[in-house]
Amino acid sequence: MRLQFEPFYEEYLKKLAAYNLASATMYTDQWTVAPSAGIPHANEMMAILAQELFQIENDPAMIEKIEAYHKTLPEGSLEQKEVKMRLDDLGHTRNVPADVYRDFVKARNDAGYYWHQAKEKNDYALFKPYLVDLMNKSIEYMKYSPKYTGDNLYDVFLDAYEPGMNEEKYDAFFDVVKTELVPFIAKLRAEGRTIDDSMLSKSFDIERQERFMDTIMRYLRVDPTRVSLGTTEHPFTNFLSHNDMRITTHYYPDRFLCAILSTVHEYGHALYGLQMDEMFEGTKLNENVGSAAHESQSRFLENHIGRSKAFWQANYDELVKQFPEFEAVGLDALVDMINVSEPGLIRTEADELTYPLHILIRYELEKDMAEGKMDYDQLPTLWADKYEQYLGVRPQTDSEGVLQDVHWSDGYLGYFPTYALGSAYAAQLYHTMAKQIDVDKALREGRMEEITNWLKDNVHHYAGSKTMAEIVEIVSGEPFDPHYYVDYLKDKYSKLYGLK
C-alpha cells in the first residue's frame, strides 16, 4: 500500500525521483568504476542536472499549488506529514537563487575530485583552495534557510543532518563522552593487559578476502537481487530505490579486518533502507531519515553484531577454511584482537572505545568552520594538535591526517557528530533488544533474520516518520540517555582488559 496523493503531486514526486536516480547512479559510478579522466566532464553534467532538478523542485507555481493542497489533507495523516516536511524543506531551497545552488553543486563536485587527487598525492595544498571555496559556498547556501537567525549557522547545519539537534545538545552529549571516556582510556592504557593483534596486520591477498566477504554476505542474509557490493577509496552506501541498494568497501592486504567491518557497517545503512515501509518510497518520509538515525543502524551492525563473539563463533570454521593461518589463533584470541583498543590516526579503523574521540576532534574543528573562524592554512596543524591532545598520537602526513575523510569534500559540515550520536542511539537500542531476545544464541545459530526482523519491527519501518530520538524512547521506554553508551563501552573494555 502506498500513500495516496493527488495526481499532480504524484507526478511531481516521480519527476524528482527520476532526477535523483540519475544523479545517484552517476555518483556511484564516479566513485567505483568510472575512469578518472572523465570525472571533470561528469561533474559539469551533474551540475546541470542538479540545477534542473532544483528549478523543478522550487518552481513557484508548483509550491503555491502544494501549499494549497496541504490545507486540504486530513490533520495528522501521513500524507499531510509528507507534504509538510517537503514544504519545510522548500522553505529553505525556494529562497536560494538557482545560480547559487548550481555554483554550490559545482564546488562540491570539484572538491570531491581534488580531495581524491590530494589524498593520493598526500598534498593538502592541492585540496585547500577547493575546500575553502566549498565551505564558503556551503555557508552562503545555508544562510538562505529560514532557520538561520544570524548567529546560529552551525545549528542550522546540525539540524539538517539530524532534525532537532543543535550545538547546545551536542555540547552536552560530547561533555559526557569526554568526561567519562578520556580518563577511562588513559586508565586502560596504563593498567590494562596487553593484547597482541599483530595477526590482523599480516598480509592476506585480496582475492581470498573477497571470497570470505561472500561468506559474510551470505551469513548476513544479504539479498543479491536488491543489494550490490562494489569497491571504492572511501566506502559508502547509495540508495537508488527501495529495491536497489549499492554498498561499497575497500580491501587492504595488511588490514584484514577493515573490509569486513566496513562492509557490515555499510550493510547496516542498506538494511535500514530495505526495511523501511515501502509506502514511503519517493517521499520525504523516506528521504528525511536523520544521519544519526542511519549511523545508529550501521554502527549497530558493525559493533554490536560484527564485533561480537557470537558472530565470529558462527563464522570461525569458514574463516579457518579460507585462512588456515587463523587456526592456531583460536576463537577467543581472535575476538580479543577484533575488539582491541589502541589510539590511532584513522577514524574508519578506530576501535569502539576511541572512536567517539575522533568525532569530537572533527566536531570542535567544524565549529570554527561554520563560524568562518577557521584558518585553513593551519587546518592540518590544528588537526594534528587535537589528535595529540585527545588520543596521544600525531599524524605525520596529510593523508593520515586531515585528508583521510571524504565528508568535507562533499560539503557535509555537521555530519560528523552524527556518527557518535548514532553509536549512542545504537547502544540504547541494543540494551533493549538484548532484554527481549537472545541475541548471542541467534547469532551463534546463524539466525540473522531474528535480529533484522526485530530491527524492522521496532526501528526500520518508521523510516523518517519519527526521529530516532522518538524511536529510542518508544522502544526503550525512556528518553535517550548517553550514559547507556559510555557505560556499555566502559563495561565491555574493563572486562576485555582486566580492569577493576
Side-chain angles (χ1 to χ4, degrees), residues 409-426:
S409 72
D410 272 335
Y412 287 176
L413 196 62
Y415 190 108
F416 276 123
T418 68
Y419 283 115
L421 181 61
S423 296
Y425 283 150

PDB file of all heavy atoms in Angstrom, residues 409-426:
ATOM      1  N   SER A 409      34.813  17.280   1.705  1.00  0.00           N
ATOM      2  CA  SER A 409      34.859  17.494   0.258  1.00  0.00           C
ATOM      3  C   SER A 409      33.480  17.352  -0.371  1.00  0.00           C
ATOM      4  O   SER A 409      33.265  17.727  -1.518  1.00  0.00           O
ATOM      5  CB  SER A 409      35.833  16.518  -0.405  1.00  0.00           C
ATOM      6  OG  SER A 409      35.311  15.204  -0.424  1.00  0.00           O
ATOM      7  N   ASP A 410      32.536  16.798   0.380  1.00  0.00           N
ATOM      8  CA  ASP A 410      31.140  16.717  -0.063  1.00  0.00           C
ATOM      9  C   ASP A 410      30.299  17.853   0.504  1.00  0.00           C
ATOM     10  O   ASP A 410      29.090  17.909   0.271  1.00  0.00           O
ATOM     11  CB  ASP A 410      30.524  15.384   0.370  1.00  0.00           C
ATOM     12  CG  ASP A 410      30.749  14.278  -0.655  1.00  0.00           C
ATOM     13  OD1 ASP A 410      30.926  14.603  -1.835  1.00  0.00           O
ATOM     14  OD2 ASP A 410      30.757  13.103  -0.274  1.00  0.00           O
ATOM     15  N   GLY A 411      30.933  18.738   1.294  1.00  0.00           N
ATOM     16  CA  GLY A 411      30.186  19.828   1.910  1.00  0.00           C
ATOM     17  C   GLY A 411      29.398  19.389   3.124  1.00  0.00           C
ATOM     18  O   GLY A 411      28.483  20.090   3.566  1.00  0.00           O
ATOM     19  N   TYR A 412      29.744  18.218   3.681  1.00  0.00           N
ATOM     20  CA  TYR A 412      28.974  17.654   4.795  1.00  0.00           C
ATOM     21  C   TYR A 412      29.384  18.269   6.130  1.00  0.00           C
ATOM     22  O   TYR A 412      29.799  17.574   7.057  1.00  0.00           O
ATOM     23  CB  TYR A 412      29.161  16.140   4.858  1.00  0.00           C
ATOM     24  CG  TYR A 412      28.466  15.364   3.775  1.00  0.00           C
ATOM     25  CD1 TYR A 412      28.626  13.986   3.658  1.00  0.00           C
ATOM     26  CD2 TYR A 412      27.631  15.987   2.854  1.00  0.00           C
ATOM     27  CE1 TYR A 412      27.993  13.255   2.669  1.00  0.00           C
ATOM     28  CE2 TYR A 412      26.994  15.275   1.861  1.00  0.00           C
ATOM     29  CZ  TYR A 412      27.179  13.907   1.769  1.00  0.00           C
ATOM     30  OH  TYR A 412      26.548  13.184   0.786  1.00  0.00           O
ATOM     31  N   LEU A 413      29.243  19.553   6.256  1.00  0.00           N
ATOM     32  CA  LEU A 413      29.526  20.228   7.517  1.00  0.00           C
ATOM     33  C   LEU A 413      28.358  19.969   8.470  1.00  0.00           C
ATOM     34  O   LEU A 413      27.209  20.302   8.162  1.00  0.00           O
ATOM     35  CB  LEU A 413      29.678  21.732   7.266  1.00  0.00           C
ATOM     36  CG  LEU A 413      30.346  22.571   8.357  1.00  0.00           C
ATOM     37  CD1 LEU A 413      31.777  22.107   8.585  1.00  0.00           C
ATOM     38  CD2 LEU A 413      30.338  24.047   7.962  1.00  0.00           C
ATOM     39  N   GLY A 414      28.659  19.352   9.616  1.00  0.00           N
ATOM     40  CA  GLY A 414      27.605  18.998  10.563  1.00  0.00           C
ATOM     41  C   GLY A 414      27.262  17.523  10.563  1.00  0.00           C
ATOM     42  O   GLY A 414      26.451  17.075  11.382  1.00  0.00           O
ATOM     43  N   TYR A 415      27.884  16.761   9.655  1.00  0.00           N
ATOM     44  CA  TYR A 415      27.574  15.330   9.577  1.00  0.00           C
ATOM     45  C   TYR A 415      28.346  14.529  10.613  1.00  0.00           C
ATOM     46  O   TYR A 415      27.794  13.616  11.239  1.00  0.00           O
ATOM     47  CB  TYR A 415      27.902  14.789   8.180  1.00  0.00           C
ATOM     48  CG  TYR A 415      27.391  13.384   7.923  1.00  0.00           C
ATOM     49  CD1 TYR A 415      26.320  13.175   7.070  1.00  0.00           C
ATOM     50  CD2 TYR A 415      27.947  12.267   8.538  1.00  0.00           C
ATOM     51  CE1 TYR A 415      25.833  11.894   6.826  1.00  0.00           C
ATOM     52  CE2 TYR A 415      27.476  10.985   8.318  1.00  0.00           C
ATOM     53  CZ  TYR A 415      26.421  10.806   7.456  1.00  0.00           C
ATOM     54  OH  TYR A 415      25.938   9.540   7.237  1.00  0.00           O
ATOM     55  N   PHE A 416      29.620  14.841  10.800  1.00  0.00           N
ATOM     56  CA  PHE A 416      30.467  14.021  11.678  1.00  0.00           C
ATOM     57  C   PHE A 416      29.860  13.745  13.057  1.00  0.00           C
ATOM     58  O   PHE A 416      29.920  12.601  13.531  1.00  0.00           O
ATOM     59  CB  PHE A 416      31.850  14.660  11.837  1.00  0.00           C
ATOM     60  CG  PHE A 416      32.804  14.327  10.730  1.00  0.00           C
ATOM     61  CD1 PHE A 416      33.395  15.333   9.981  1.00  0.00           C
ATOM     62  CD2 PHE A 416      33.118  13.014  10.426  1.00  0.00           C
ATOM     63  CE1 PHE A 416      34.282  15.033   8.957  1.00  0.00           C
ATOM     64  CE2 PHE A 416      34.005  12.692   9.407  1.00  0.00           C
ATOM     65  CZ  PHE A 416      34.594  13.712   8.660  1.00  0.00           C
ATOM     66  N   PRO A 417      29.280  14.734  13.738  1.00  0.00           N
ATOM     67  CA  PRO A 417      28.746  14.443  15.077  1.00  0.00           C
ATOM     68  C   PRO A 417      27.702  13.333  15.093  1.00  0.00           C
ATOM     69  O   PRO A 417      27.507  12.672  16.114  1.00  0.00           O
ATOM     70  CB  PRO A 417      28.136  15.778  15.520  1.00  0.00           C
ATOM     71  CG  PRO A 417      28.856  16.812  14.720  1.00  0.00           C
ATOM     72  CD  PRO A 417      29.144  16.163  13.395  1.00  0.00           C
ATOM     73  N   THR A 418      27.035  13.124  13.946  1.00  0.00           N
ATOM     74  CA  THR A 418      26.000  12.093  13.908  1.00  0.00           C
ATOM     75  C   THR A 418      26.575  10.693  14.089  1.00  0.00           C
ATOM     76  O   THR A 418      25.863   9.779  14.518  1.00  0.00           O
ATOM     77  CB  THR A 418      25.192  12.145  12.595  1.00  0.00           C
ATOM     78  OG1 THR A 418      26.020  11.756  11.483  1.00  0.00           O
ATOM     79  CG2 THR A 418      24.628  13.541  12.354  1.00  0.00           C
ATOM     80  N   TYR A 419      27.856  10.493  13.761  1.00  0.00           N
ATOM     81  CA  TYR A 419      28.460   9.175  13.952  1.00  0.00           C
ATOM     82  C   TYR A 419      28.468   8.789  15.432  1.00  0.00           C
ATOM     83  O   TYR A 419      28.120   7.666  15.802  1.00  0.00           O
ATOM     84  CB  TYR A 419      29.894   9.164  13.433  1.00  0.00           C
ATOM     85  CG  TYR A 419      30.044   9.092  11.932  1.00  0.00           C
ATOM     86  CD1 TYR A 419      30.611  10.139  11.219  1.00  0.00           C
ATOM     87  CD2 TYR A 419      29.645   7.961  11.230  1.00  0.00           C
ATOM     88  CE1 TYR A 419      30.774  10.071   9.846  1.00  0.00           C
ATOM     89  CE2 TYR A 419      29.804   7.882   9.853  1.00  0.00           C
ATOM     90  CZ  TYR A 419      30.368   8.934   9.163  1.00  0.00           C
ATOM     91  OH  TYR A 419      30.523   8.860   7.807  1.00  0.00           O
ATOM     92  N   ALA A 420      28.919   9.711  16.270  1.00  0.00           N
ATOM     93  CA  ALA A 420      28.987   9.422  17.703  1.00  0.00           C
ATOM     94  C   ALA A 420      27.586   9.333  18.301  1.00  0.00           C
ATOM     95  O   ALA A 420      27.304   8.440  19.113  1.00  0.00           O
ATOM     96  CB  ALA A 420      29.808  10.495  18.422  1.00  0.00           C
ATOM     97  N   LEU A 421      26.705  10.249  17.911  1.00  0.00           N
ATOM     98  CA  LEU A 421      25.336  10.203  18.410  1.00  0.00           C
ATOM     99  C   LEU A 421      24.654   8.909  17.968  1.00  0.00           C
ATOM    100  O   LEU A 421      23.932   8.272  18.751  1.00  0.00           O
ATOM    101  CB  LEU A 421      24.554  11.419  17.913  1.00  0.00           C
ATOM    102  CG  LEU A 421      23.104  11.535  18.377  1.00  0.00           C
ATOM    103  CD1 LEU A 421      23.018  11.629  19.894  1.00  0.00           C
ATOM    104  CD2 LEU A 421      22.424  12.753  17.726  1.00  0.00           C
ATOM    105  N   GLY A 422      24.894   8.509  16.716  1.00  0.00           N
ATOM    106  CA  GLY A 422      24.323   7.257  16.225  1.00  0.00           C
ATOM    107  C   GLY A 422      24.810   6.062  17.016  1.00  0.00           C
ATOM    108  O   GLY A 422      24.046   5.136  17.317  1.00  0.00           O
ATOM    109  N   SER A 423      26.091   6.059  17.371  1.00  0.00           N
ATOM    110  CA  SER A 423      26.640   4.972  18.189  1.00  0.00           C
ATOM    111  C   SER A 423      25.935   4.908  19.542  1.00  0.00           C
ATOM    112  O   SER A 423      25.681   3.829  20.079  1.00  0.00           O
ATOM    113  CB  SER A 423      28.143   5.178  18.394  1.00  0.00           C
ATOM    114  OG  SER A 423      28.833   5.111  17.164  1.00  0.00           O
ATOM    115  N   ALA A 424      25.647   6.076  20.089  1.00  0.00           N
ATOM    116  CA  ALA A 424      24.971   6.134  21.389  1.00  0.00           C
ATOM    117  C   ALA A 424      23.519   5.664  21.282  1.00  0.00           C
ATOM    118  O   ALA A 424      23.018   4.938  22.162  1.00  0.00           O
ATOM    119  CB  ALA A 424      25.034   7.555  21.942  1.00  0.00           C
ATOM    120  N   TYR A 425      22.833   6.066  20.201  1.00  0.00           N
ATOM    121  CA  TYR A 425      21.480   5.539  19.972  1.00  0.00           C
ATOM    122  C   TYR A 425      21.523   4.007  19.886  1.00  0.00           C
ATOM    123  O   TYR A 425      20.676   3.309  20.459  1.00  0.00           O
ATOM    124  CB  TYR A 425      20.913   6.080  18.662  1.00  0.00           C
ATOM    125  CG  TYR A 425      20.420   7.507  18.687  1.00  0.00           C
ATOM    126  CD1 TYR A 425      20.481   8.299  17.532  1.00  0.00           C
ATOM    127  CD2 TYR A 425      19.867   8.080  19.827  1.00  0.00           C
ATOM    128  CE1 TYR A 425      20.017   9.604  17.517  1.00  0.00           C
ATOM    129  CE2 TYR A 425      19.396   9.377  19.830  1.00  0.00           C
ATOM    130  CZ  TYR A 425      19.473  10.146  18.669  1.00  0.00           C
ATOM    131  OH  TYR A 425      19.011  11.446  18.653  1.00  0.00           O
ATOM    132  N   ALA A 426      22.521   3.484  19.159  1.00  0.00           N
ATOM    133  CA  ALA A 426      22.630   2.035  18.960  1.00  0.00           C
ATOM    134  C   ALA A 426      22.777   1.303  20.289  1.00  0.00           C
ATOM    135  O   ALA A 426      22.196   0.227  20.486  1.00  0.00           O
ATOM    136  CB  ALA A 426      23.810   1.721  18.042  1.00  0.00           C
TER     137      ALA A 426
END
